Amino acid sequence: ATEFESYLRCPFQHFAHYGLKLQSLPPLPGERLDHLFMGNVAHEALRQWHESGGSLEAIAIRVYDEMLAEERIPPGYRVELER
């Protein structure tokens, strides 16, 4: 039923999704700084802190910077605001 409903909504999108098996584009670099990203930073920082101890703040800053580079999130106001 879902496939048929998508065809009724837009035949071209139905063909692109089901016929060509196209996927949507990944989020733009500026849109990658979302709640999921921040949750992953928090969990990774807590995991590293639990394993090795030390300053949680220093570990969180290091993990945040590493994940920013990994996700190719450009520097800007929002990056510093979330820090």
Side-chain angles (χ1 to χ4, degrees):
T2 305
E3 190 173 337
F4 182 68
E5 290 170 353
S6 73
Y7 177 77
L8 291 176
R9 220 175 309 124
C10 179
F12 180 74
Q13 285 184 354
H14 177 271
F15 174 70
H17 180 71
Y18 293 101
L20 299 177
K21 307 258 188 243
L22 297 179
Q23 299 177 0
S24 62
L25 294 173
L28 297 172
E31 298 171 352
R32 293 179 193 154
L33 187 60
D34 57 2
H35 296 294
L36 177 63
F37 176 82
M38 294 306 293
N40 289 338
V41 169
H43 283 141
E44 181 62 22
L46 287 172
R47 184 188 68 75
Q48 289 184 18
W49 176 69
H50 181 71
E51 288 178 354
S52 63
S55 169
L56 180 58
E57 182 180 4
I59 293 171
I61 289 171
R62 188 185 74 243
V63 167
Y64 185 71
D65 290 337
E66 289 171 357
M67 291 183 79
L68 283 174
E70 182 180 309
E71 292 293 322
R72 297 184 184 126
I73 298 175
Y77 171 77
R78 185 154 178 243
V79 169
E80 293 306 317
L81 179 67
E82 294 292 337
R83 185 182 304 276

